[in-house]
Amino acid sequence: MTKEDRIEKAVALFKEGYNCSQSVVAAFADMYGFTDEQALKMSAAFGGGIGRMRETCGAACGMFLLAGLEKGAIVGSDREGKAATYALVQHLAEKFKEENGTLRCADLLGLLKKEPVVSTPEARTEKYYAKRPCTKMVESASKIWADYIFDEKK
């Protein structure tokens, strides 16, 4: 798959009803030996700003999960490996903030007051997609990750 194919796949997954994090992770998971089902399960809790709590954007969390798959340290005492992972996450986060202004879901959604945290997601309707920037966040995170994987990493 090309870089553009992966970005399109992430957006298509979101429009099928998967959450923002699942959409980003599943578009790239095969590159790390994961099935679609595994990718969807491992990223399921990060949608809606982590568990729909409107904290760190789920699309960005998906990108960070991919960073762990790419560079994650697998030995507890590997300080250099941890540092490399954290440096990559910070790099990706900065790019996401440059493009979107913030990492915080509530801010991206324009929620000015603290809304009660509920676990029930909104129905995916035309009105939902029209009022939410989530499709753009999925596209942004997927593009940032694709740029890293296909261009920067080399």
Side-chain angles (χ1 to χ4, degrees):
M1 289 179 100
T2 67
K3 177 166 65 167
E4 293 74 20
D5 291 337
R6 298 227 179 237
I7 297 164
E8 288 175 19
K9 180 178 179 180
V11 170
L13 286 165
F14 185 74
K15 289 181 177 178
E16 285 178 35
Y18 295 101
N19 75 36
C20 44
S21 188
Q22 289 175 308
S23 301
V24 173
V25 173
F28 296 90
D30 65 300
M31 296 174 73
Y32 302 97
F34 289 95
T35 65
D36 287 345
E37 182 178 350
Q38 291 169 323
L40 295 169
K41 283 187 174 190
M42 77 172 125
S43 55
F46 297 99
I50 308 173
R52 204 168 185 278
M53 293 185 292
R54 306 302 188 213
E55 296 299 335
T56 304
C57 171
C61 287
M63 185 173 53
F64 304 151
L65 195 151
L66 292 169
L69 294 176
E70 180 69 25
K71 278 205 182 275
I74 57 170
V75 174
S77 61
D78 181 4
R79 293 180 64 224
E80 287 180 22
K82 289 177 189 176
T85 303
Y86 298 159
L88 176 55
V89 168
Q90 291 171 12
H91 170 72
L92 299 168
E94 192 57 39
K95 286 189 169 289
F96 190 89
K97 288 190 285 188
E98 284 173 14
E99 280 191 23
N100 302 296
T102 184
L103 280 171
R104 190 164 177 267
C105 176
D107 296 338
L108 292 165
L109 294 176
L111 301 175
L112 301 177
K113 62 182 182 354
K114 181 79 172 154
E115 291 188 357
V117 175
V118 296
S119 60
T120 307
E122 288 185 52
R124 297 287 183 90
T125 63
E126 290 298 321
K127 185 177 178 184
Y128 171 92
Y129 290 112
K131 75 177 182 174
R132 297 216 179 259
C134 303
T135 305
K136 179 182 177 286
M137 298 305 109
V138 167
E139 182 176 20
S140 175
S142 297
K143 183 180 181 316
I144 292 166
W145 184 252
D147 286 346
Y148 171 74
I149 285 297
F150 289 95
D151 301 329
E152 289 181 45
K153 183 179 141 184
K154 295 177 181 177

